[in-house]
Amino acid sequence: MTPRPFGVYVHFPYCAHRCPYCDFAVTTAPVPAGGRYVRAVLAELGLRAAGFDGLELVSVYLGGGTPSRWAVEEVAGVLAAIRGRFGAAALREVTIEANPESCDRARLAAWRDAGVNRVSIGVQSFDPGV
């Protein structure tokens, strides 16, 4: 019997500023230093992972907030932990949400090296005055 597919969503609740239309759980507090948020995400993964035994990981989505503000080595560490726990044989899509100002060449290359194969660009307005 073929395992049922599933995806992992990792919420990164930190933003540079709060948009007036946003209804998501986000904060404008500084991103915790020293890997504190990574440790929290990995602890949560450890607590919930057994509930997904026997399923096949097909997608990972890093959303938020603004996960493109996350340190690239921490993104890589979280993705490596997810692949290590669930395997990556069927993993087809790894997405990170990003704002244009946090998408420089070095960051894009580091995400690619970490396994990200899709970037979802957020645009709040096409009006420069807004």
Side-chain angles (χ1 to χ4, degrees), residues 74-111:
E74 292 181 354
V75 168
V78 167
L79 292 175
I82 291 170
R83 284 191 301 272
R85 173 59 180 93
F86 299 112
L91 185 57
R92 295 187 290 267
E93 184 176 290
V94 179
T95 301
I96 190 168
E97 286 183 358
N99 283 347
E101 68 271 10
S102 57
C103 288
D104 59 48
R105 286 185 183 269
R107 192 171 282 274
L108 289 166
W111 291 336

Side-chain angles (χ1 to χ4, degrees), residues 1-9 45 48-60 82-92:
M1 184 157 127
T2 303
R4 289 189 358 232
F6 82 103
V8 170
Y9 173 79
L45 176 66
R48 298 188 181 270
F52 298 90
D53 284 346
L55 302 179
E56 188 171 53
L57 178 66
V58 297
S59 70
V60 176
I82 291 170
R83 284 191 301 272
R85 173 59 180 93
F86 299 112
L91 185 57
R92 295 187 290 267

